[in-house]
Each structure stands twice: as structure tokens, then as C-alpha cells.
């Protein structure tokens, strides 16, 4: 299909209805399709330079984040609360020296758990875009992509074949990639199989792990008295999920 532009396209986001698609790229490109990519229309873009990534919250697709570079190469972070119709600039993660970080990776878990990664060995998290919690991992010069399944579980990849994994959302451990090339993109399918691609035609694959069942523990509501006051018991408070997913009743 023809996009109607000669700009470079860097990223595509497909919404849950499988017909609404957004594409971003150079020259501040922001395209939208409402017919599964058959036709495209240019949208109002917050940037005139490079839009690198656009991601929508899977739990509320009216919320979206966009990262890229503005004039002079400065980093941008924008947020939309109306499905990418309008955008508001957000604060930008900074390096240890206080300079803004060039961002390349973006993962939106839900409306309140957003991760980015990029230069200056920076990984950062925000709940709403107004402030960032920087997570330092001095194992690569820069990171190119990140993917998180929850607020605690995720991967970050980048220079020198680095693959970092976390199960608590704050500390990361290295996983052997077997390569020293830069790794550029990561995708995870429904069974947990991980695919990572990078320079020199590199494609890495890690088989998925079967989802583990939650661990339910006995509940104790205390002593109940006849004709006593009503009480409540949080039946999920002492239950856990090995995969880090929220427990529900």
C-alpha cells in the first residue's frame, strides 16, 4: 500500500480493533489509518523532526506516548489523552550530568507504567509523564529498545549485544546473547517466546515459559462474634503470582 509520504517510517502501532494503525517517522511524520493500512491520512504532529516510537496503553487506548528528536537533536516526550489527536509535552529523563537523554525505546504497560530507554546508559520509568524514576545499569553505552509485560517484568536491549532482564522493575541482570553487535528491536508473542533483532542480520530467539499459576494462601478473618459488627477480609492480600501479574478474585 502507498503511505503518501517519502519520509522514513520508524515505527507502527496497531490498536486492539486491528483496523486503526498509527505510523511515525522522519520530518515529524504522524500517519493514521482506519482501514487496516489500506489508506493513510497525515495527522497533526507535535514534532517537526524525528518521531521514533509511538505506543498506546493496552488498558486505555486514548492514552499514548511518543518519543523522538526535535530541532537540534534534543529529545522529546509527548503524551496524548485523546487517542493521538492532540499532544502535550512531558518532562524528559536526564543523564547523571543533568543533560537530556536521547531516547530510542518505549514500552507502555498501562496508563500508569511507562518505560523508556536510550543513551547515557539510561532506563527510566514514569507513572504519568510528569516525572521520571531513573534506573541506572552501567552495562551498555546506550539502549535501543525495551519491552515490559508488567510494572515488574521486562527486557532492555542495546549496544554490544546486551540483553537485560528484570523481575522487579528496578534491578536488572544480564542474559547472554552470544553476539557483540548492537541489538535494535524486541518482540514477544503470546506464549512468551522472545525475538530480538539487530545488526549484521542478527535474529535471536528464546522459547517462551509457560505461565505459572498464582499461589493462593488460606485467609483468616479473625474471630467472628454473633451479632457483632460487620467486617471485611481482603482475600487477595496474602496471595502471589510467580509471573508478577496482579491477582484477581
Amino acid at each position: 500500500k502507498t503511505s503518501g509520504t517519502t519520509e522514513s517510517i520508524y515505527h507502527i502501532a496497531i490498536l486492539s480493533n486491528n483496523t486503526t494503525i498509527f505510523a511515525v517517522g522522519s520530518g515529524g511524520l504522524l500517519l493514521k489509518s482506519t482501514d487496516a493500512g489500506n489508506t493513510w491520512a497525515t495527522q497533526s504532529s507535535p514534532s517537526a523532526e524525528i518521531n521514533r516510537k509511538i505506543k498506546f496503553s493496552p488498558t486505555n487506548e486514548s492514552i499514548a506516548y511518543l518519543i523522538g528528536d526535535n530541532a537540534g537533536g534534543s529529545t522529546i516526550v509527548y503524551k496524548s489523552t485523546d487517542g493521538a489527536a492532540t499532544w502535550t509535552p512531558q518532562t524528559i529523563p536526564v543523564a547523571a550530568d543533568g543533560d537530556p537523554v536521547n531516547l530510542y525505546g518505549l514500552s507502555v504497560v498501562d496508563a500508569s507504567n511507562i518505560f523508556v530507554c536510550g543513551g547515557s546508559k539510561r532506563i527510566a520509568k514514569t507513572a504519568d509523564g510528569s516525572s521520571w524514576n531513573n534506573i541506572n545499569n552501567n552495562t551498555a553505552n546506550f539502549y535501543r529498545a525495551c519491552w515490559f509485560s508488567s510494572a515488574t517484568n521486562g527486557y532492555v536491549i542495546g549496544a554490544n549485544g546486551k540483553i537485560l532482564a528484570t523481575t522487579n522493575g528496578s534491578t536488572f541482570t544480564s542474559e547472554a546473547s552470544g553476539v557483540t553487535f548492537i541489538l535494535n528491536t524486541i518482540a514477544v508473542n503470546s506464549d512468551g517466546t522472545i525475538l530480538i533483532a539487530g545488526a549484521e542480520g542478527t535474529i535471536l530467539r528464546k522459547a517462551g515459559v509457560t505461565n505459572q499459576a498464582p499461589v493462593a494462601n488460606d485467609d483468616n478473618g479473625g474471630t467472628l462474634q454473633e451479632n457483632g459488627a460487620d467486617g471485611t477480609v481482603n482475600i487477595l492480600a496474602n496471595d502471589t503470582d510467580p509471573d508478577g501479574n496482579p491477582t484477581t478474585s
Side-chain angles (χ1 to χ4, degrees), residues 105-214:
L106 171 65
S107 181
V108 179
V109 176
D110 52 40
S112 57
N113 289 283
I114 299 94
F115 293 84
V116 294
C117 64
S120 302
K121 305 177 182 179
R122 188 64 74 202
I123 305 168
K125 177 184 178 182
T126 185
D128 58 10
S130 62
S131 62
W132 295 86
N133 175 30
N134 286 319
I135 307 168
N136 285 321
N137 286 274
N138 297 319
T139 58
N141 292 328
F142 62 91
Y143 304 109
R144 292 302 297 262
C146 55
W147 176 89
F148 284 80
S149 61
S150 69
T152 56
N153 292 342
Y155 287 86
V156 178
I157 63 172
N160 304 317
K162 292 297 182 181
I163 301 175
L164 302 179
T166 182
T167 56
N168 61 14
S170 59
T171 57
F172 290 78
T173 57
S174 294
E175 294 192 0
S177 68
V179 300
T180 58
F181 307 121
I182 185 172
L183 301 176
N184 291 320
T185 188
I186 178 171
V188 182
N189 69 16
S190 58
D191 71 358
T193 297
I194 302 169
L195 292 169
I196 296 173
E200 303 292 333
T202 300
I203 299 179
L204 308 176
R205 182 182 186 275
K206 180 179 180 180
V209 178
T210 302
N211 186 57
Q212 303 176 74

